[in-house]
Structure formats: C-alpha cells, structure tokens
Amino acid sequence: MSAAPLRQRPAWAALETHHRELQGRHLRELFAEDPGRGERLTAEAVGVFLDYSKNRVTDATMRLLLRLAVESDLRERIDAMFRGEKINVSEQRAVLHVALRAPRGATVLVDGRNVVPDVHAVLDKMSGFADQVRAGAWTGHTGKRIRSVINIGIGGSDLGPVMAYEALKHYSDRSLRFRFVSNVDGTDFAEAVQGLDPAETLFIVSSKTFTTLETMTNAHTARDWLLAGLQGAESAIAQHFVAVSTNAKAVAGFGIDPANMFGFWDWVGGRYSMDSAIGLSTMLAIGPTHFREMLDGFHQMDEHFRTAPFDRNLPVLLGLLAIWYTDFFGAQTVAVLPYEQYLKRFPAYLQQLTMESNGKRVTLDGTPVDYVTGPIYWGEPGTNGQHSFYQLIHQGTRLIPCDFLAFGHSLNPLGRHHDLLLANVFAQTEALAFGKTAEQVKAEGTPEWLVPHRVFEGNRPSNTLLLDRLTPAALGKLVALYEHSVFTQGTIWSIDSFDQWGVELGKVLAQRIVPELEDAAEPTLDHDSSTNSLIRRYRKLKGSA
Ligand code: F6P
C-alpha cells in the first residue's frame, strides 16, 4: 500500500499547525526553557556525532517529523531499496549502490541473482591493477613506469573521483600525480596535460554510458595527444588507456582492450558511483586497503540507516530537518560547511548528489507536486567562507540552514591551528543561533545610529557533525549519510530520486546546434529569434581573426 499524497498525510497538517506556533519562537527561548536540549537533541552512530539542538525544533517537532517519515512509508521504501526492487520507476531500475560496499559473502539480489560476487570480482580486478601501477610493474609503451593518472569523466564519473582524491590526499602515493578532465572546454584538457610526459601517463576513461559528449570528446583528444607524443604507435593505447563503464561494446569500439575495462551495472546511478569502479583513480591514489576501508565506512552507515530506529537514525534526522526548513520555513538552500581543508570539493560533490536526485517536480506516478522539493545545496570550507558569504547567513534576509562538519583531530597537526579551526566552528553555530541583541550591542557603548547595523538577529539553524578524524572510512560514512538523507527526503516527497531526465533536453538541443556552428555554408536557422541571432553572432566572431 503506498503512502497518501503528501499534503493528505495527517502529520503534514499537524506540522503546518505546529509551524505556525513555533515560527515566532527564538532559539534563545528554546534553550532557556529547555537547557537540556543541547545534550538531548543529538544522535551518535558509527563514529558520527550529530548535534541538531540548534535547529528551530522542539521534541514535538521531531515527533511530528518522525511521524511524517512513518506515514511516508520510509521503512518500506528503505527495505525495498535494499531488496533490489526497481524503485527507480522512470528508468525501471533497481537502486543498489549499497551493494557496492556489501562485504564479501553478503547477498544482495537483483532479479533473483546475487550481485555481491560480481562487485567483489571487479574490486579484486581493480586491486590487482592498482597494485601493479603503484609498484611500477605496469609500464607505459616505452617501458617507463606510470607517473601521472588522468581521469576523464563528467558528473558522477568526475565529481566523486575528484572529491575523494582531494579528501584522501593525505593517504595518497605522492609519487603519482592525479589530474581530472571533465569539461568539453578544451582548456580543461590542455591544462591537465601541461608538463606531462605521454610515456608516463595513464588515462582512465570513466563513463557509465560511454556515450557522453564531453567524455568521448576528451577521450579522443587524449588519444591524439598520446599518439602524437609516442610517434603514432597505435599499439600504445592498451598500456595507456583503461576504461570504467557499463558499456563494453562502446569501450571496445574506442580501441580499449576489454581486458582493461572495469565494469559496473545499471543499478548504480552516476552520482552514487564513487565507490564502484568509477573510484579506480581513488584506489590508484590511496591503494586497495584504504579503498576497502572507505567501503567499510559506507557499509557501516548503510547498516545504521537500514536498522536504526528513526529517532536515532542520522540520515533520517538530517533528511527530516531539510524537509522542515524547505517545506515549512520556505528555505531555499542548505549550506554545507566543512571545517576540513581536505573536504574542499565535498560541497560540489553534494550538489550533484542532492540536486540531480531531488530536483524533481512530479511524483512517482507523474502527478505534479503541490509542495516544494529539493533545496539548493552549496558551500565552501571554513574558515574561508566566514570571510566571504557568511555575512549574508548572519545578517541577510534569508533563512539558510547550515551543516557544519568538523573533526576532533587534524591530519596535519600544526601548533594551535586545529583549536583555532574548531573554535570557529563552535563560535559560528553559537553566533547563528543566539545572535546579539540591540541591548547587548548598546551595552558595549555602540552609538545609537550604529546599533541596528551591529545587531545579530540569531535564530539561524545549524547542525554540527563531529567525527574523530578524516579517514577513508569517515569519508565513506559521510557520503553515505548524505546519500541516505537524500533518499529520506525523496521518499517524503514521493519523487524518483534516481533518474535525471532534466539533463536531456539541453544535450539534445546542443547536438542540433553543433552543425549550425560548424557548417561552412550559412545555415538556415529556425530557433527563436534570440538563439538564431546568438548563433549568427558566434559564427561572425569565429570567422574574424
Ligand atoms: O549529467 C547527466 C549524467 O548522466 C549524470 O547523471 C552522470 O553522472 C553524467 O551524466 C556522466 O554520465 P556517464 O558516466 O555516462 O558519462
């Protein structure tokens, strides 16, 4: 039995009423009335501590949100995902990124077949390859060892690998250089190969479909660059190109030896694939052992999500709080603010995960939604952001719920740096929640005219996530935490979080425009007047010296 439309679920109406009562309340009052909330409104699992007490919620809010989760069949939906049901309805696919990190010996069925042995066969093949490259046993065409690895991919075939490389650089083999090419803008490729010796360079062409315009264009340019550098030796391709894909035929068509292809499956969405073979560059950087530690971190969070009661379930709590602000407070965004320099690409990674997943306007059965879905996720590492956009979060007119991410230990303990960093995390959440009243500002001797400028309204909500240190396992836990928070949100909105039809139209139109830009003869254009005139102007610019 499927859940009633969202607005007809009893908890939704109760939350609307409750929101009217709570929206005028300040976090200052909520903490004053209930000093224990700082300890109580927290949850901890698998080494991840969440303090959600600085949110505009009470115990009653949480009860209602949890009831909404139950009325939205969240439990049934989680079980359906783990059972391999085709919950990606618009593409008729199972959604089983959780199988990518299932331990050897586990059973996850897709159409009655256990896919876990397949997952581990690929992981073993990746490990063998990574060991060879890292040991210098895999050499290039001229016999030189591989020193540079370039991942060519885009979207999920790029953002995860880039983010994980940056996040886990501390654990990486520094004698290998890693670069990433994604954009069809030739500058991306040109800069990535700057100063590299083709004889020492390995390309990983990562593409689930092996048809993506950007990736195939870059892969062909890479092929030309390599062959030019190695005096046209076609036979060099085998040692300098490997592929990660679900499309063996297209890989072979490109000229990559199928033996050098690392596969995955249609039940892995691009934005959920960094722990599949798409993570080959990550494994080359940090080695198979660390990669498996990362998978174990993912798996620990998966098990927590699958089994923990909702009121102590970290992804559920995070997802429900996002619903609370998006649908009841009208917040348009969520800021993710890692106080860990190695996580500098984490917000960018989360943008695809969250927005390609939940940027949807119809429900699973195709009915237009009558509520707001997917918030905009964004962010930058702290403390840098504090000297940039935090002004707007503190004193602007918008409500921006924030997730602060911090670690108990630095991977680079230097003097007082880490205490200073963490002092800023705690200070920011405190300032956002409690602000500074006009009375407090006046008491400091501020002239009357300046007081309004210096008041901090406060009542700005935040979560704080605290972990011990950024290990491969910790990264896996964090990514899985957000994956399942996205799932929780998508379930409540009754949308398909696993398709991405919204990227199609632009791709198709671009294919139509390409010949209109490239044809020598003036094309007959039948777009709108703006597009026609932009195309004509570009053709003129292109023709001019
Ligand atoms: O932008 C759409 C998309 O399909 C993403 O979902 C995906 O991660 C990306 O393109 C890359 O696709 P592929 O791995 O097939 O090249």
Side-chain angles (χ1 to χ4, degrees):
M1 201 184 74
S2 63
L6 181 50
R7 285 181 177 279
Q8 291 169 30
R9 293 173 209 158
W12 183 270
L15 278 161
E16 283 182 319
T17 309
H18 177 69
H19 173 254
R20 280 194 289 277
E21 291 156 13
L22 196 76
Q23 66 175 333
R25 309 290 317 277
H26 199 289
L27 278 166
R28 281 185 213 121
E29 298 160 21
L30 299 182
F31 270 87
E33 287 165 12
D34 175 17
R37 62 182 276 139
E39 282 94 50
R40 197 179 63 255
L41 298 183
T42 62
E44 186 168 14
V46 301
V48 180
F49 176 76
L50 166 68
D51 176 353
Y52 61 96
S53 65
K54 293 193 185 88
N55 279 289
R56 291 171 67 173
V57 297
T58 60
D59 292 313
T61 323
M62 297 314 297
R63 269 196 300 277
L64 289 175
L65 286 169
L66 290 162
R67 201 191 316 152
L68 181 65
V70 173
E71 289 173 8
S72 304
D73 293 342
L74 181 59
R75 167 60 48 218
E76 291 78 353
R77 301 290 298 169
I78 294 173
D79 292 344
M81 173 168 73
F82 278 84
R83 267 201 308 269
E85 284 181 25
K86 299 202 162 115
I87 60 168
N88 175 357
V89 290
S90 79
E91 295 181 309
Q92 274 300 297
R93 286 179 182 164
V95 173
L96 274 176
H97 40 279
V98 292
L100 297 171
R101 47 266 192 158
R104 219 185 274 278
T107 301
V108 181
L109 298 176
V110 177
D111 294 329
R113 180 186 144 76
N114 184 13
V115 296
V116 176
D118 302 348
V119 166
H120 282 271
V122 174
L123 281 171
D124 291 344
K125 183 172 168 183
M126 288 164 66
S127 303
F129 177 69
D131 283 340
Q132 280 193 58
V133 173
R134 286 163 61 87
W138 179 287
T139 56
H141 183 63
T142 65
K144 282 188 174 181
R145 69 182 288 177
I146 298 298
R147 296 275 175 205
S148 306
V149 177
I150 302 188
N151 184 76
I152 300 178
I154 197 163
S157 302
D158 167 70
L159 290 161
V162 177
M163 183 278 288
Y165 172 66
E166 291 296 339
L168 301 177
K169 202 183 250 177
H170 179 78
Y171 304 90
S172 70
D173 178 345
R174 305 289 179 144
S175 70
L176 284 170
R177 201 186 278 117
F178 288 84
R179 296 192 182 165
F180 300 85
V181 177
S182 53
N183 202 333
V184 75
D185 182 339
T187 296
D188 205 12
F189 182 83
E191 286 295 336
V193 295
Q194 268 298 318
L196 300 192
D197 176 358
E200 298 182 339
T201 302
L202 175 76
F203 289 98
I204 305 174
V205 185
S206 298
S207 175
K208 182 175 166 182
T209 55
F210 228 73
T211 56
T212 304
L213 170 86
E214 292 89 338
T215 302
M216 297 328 294
T217 306
N218 280 319
H220 282 283
T221 303
R223 201 172 188 278
D224 295 346
W225 177 82
L226 186 93
L227 294 181
L230 297 178
Q231 279 78 46
E234 281 278 341
S235 52
I237 301 294
Q239 282 127 294
H240 292 270
F241 276 86
V242 298
V244 179
S245 188
T246 57
N247 187 348
K249 208 166 148 218
V251 169
F254 180 85
I256 295 177
D257 185 346
N260 298 339
M261 174 181 142
F262 300 85
F264 61 116
W265 307 271
D266 74 354
W267 40 263
V268 182
R271 53 196 177 272
Y272 296 88
S273 67
M274 61 168 274
D275 46 346
S276 71
I278 290 290
L280 184 61
S281 58
T282 315
M283 192 190 268
L284 283 166
I286 65 173
T289 305
H290 282 136
F291 193 84
R292 284 177 198 271
E293 283 169 22
M294 180 181 82
L295 295 183
D296 180 55
F298 271 101
H299 179 65
Q300 287 183 49
M301 186 57 79
D302 293 342
E303 283 304 285
H304 166 70
F305 179 56
R306 191 175 68 79
T307 59
F310 289 166
D311 62 348
R312 279 182 278 131
N313 193 310
L314 299 173
V316 171
L317 292 169
L318 222 52
L320 289 174
L321 289 163
I323 296 273
W324 179 230
Y325 294 116
T326 304
D327 290 292
F328 296 91
F329 283 82
Q332 291 173 334
T333 81
V334 175
V336 180
L337 309 166
Y339 278 64
E340 167 56 68
Q341 187 61 20
Y342 285 125
L343 288 182
K344 65 182 179 195
R345 294 285 300 182
F346 193 61
Y349 169 78
L350 284 186
Q351 291 194 313
Q352 187 198 14
L353 176 65
T354 58
M355 297 200 269
E356 204 171 71
S357 296
N358 283 343
K360 310 289 162 66
R361 55 172 291 283
V362 295
T363 61
L364 290 165
D365 65 7
T367 312
V369 297
D370 53 2
Y371 41 83
V372 177
T373 62
I376 297 157
Y377 277 76
W378 62 287
E380 279 288 324
T383 58
N384 293 13
Q386 292 176 204
H387 300 271
S388 162
F389 54 81
Y390 278 37
Q391 165 65 39
L392 185 147
I393 307 181
H394 281 287
Q395 285 191 316
T397 53
R398 295 170 191 277
L399 181 77
I400 302 183
C402 301
D403 289 353
F404 286 83
L405 271 53
F407 295 85
H409 295 94
S410 170
L411 296 174
N412 296 292
L414 287 176
R416 302 169 62 215
H417 283 259
H418 203 63
D419 285 342
L420 298 180
L421 181 71
L422 271 282
N424 275 280
V425 178
F426 305 141
Q428 288 299 324
T429 65
E430 192 176 24
L432 287 167
F434 302 105
K436 195 170 181 181
T437 63
E439 290 65 40
Q440 287 171 314
V441 176
K442 277 183 211 157
E444 288 172 349
T446 308
E448 198 65 40
W449 65 270
L450 192 53
V451 171
H453 298 277
R454 300 196 59 173
V455 165
F456 287 69
E457 206 183 16
N459 218 13
R460 266 79 167 152
S462 67
N463 290 309
T464 303
L465 285 158
L466 199 54
L467 291 85
D468 181 47
R469 73 181 76 224
L470 180 54
T471 59
L475 181 70
K477 290 172 194 176
L478 275 177
V479 174
L481 170 64
Y482 278 94
E483 286 177 346
H484 299 319
S485 164
V486 164
F487 181 91
T488 300
Q489 295 170 51
T491 298
I492 292 188
W493 289 317
S494 302
I495 56 179
D496 188 335
S497 299
F498 301 101
D499 61 13
Q500 57 284 315
W501 298 105
V503 300
E504 294 301 323
L505 179 59
K507 281 191 201 173
V508 172
L509 294 185
Q511 288 296 0
R512 180 179 156 204
I513 292 173
V514 171
E516 298 172 345
L517 305 186
E518 291 185 332
D519 280 1
E522 196 62 33
T524 311
L525 300 176
D526 64 350
H527 304 274
D528 58 277
S529 60
S530 160
T531 311
N532 284 347
S533 126
L534 287 166
I535 290 173
R536 285 197 198 101
R537 187 166 282 264
Y538 171 70
R539 286 181 61 95
K540 256 196 212 136
L541 282 173
K542 198 176 143 169
S544 64

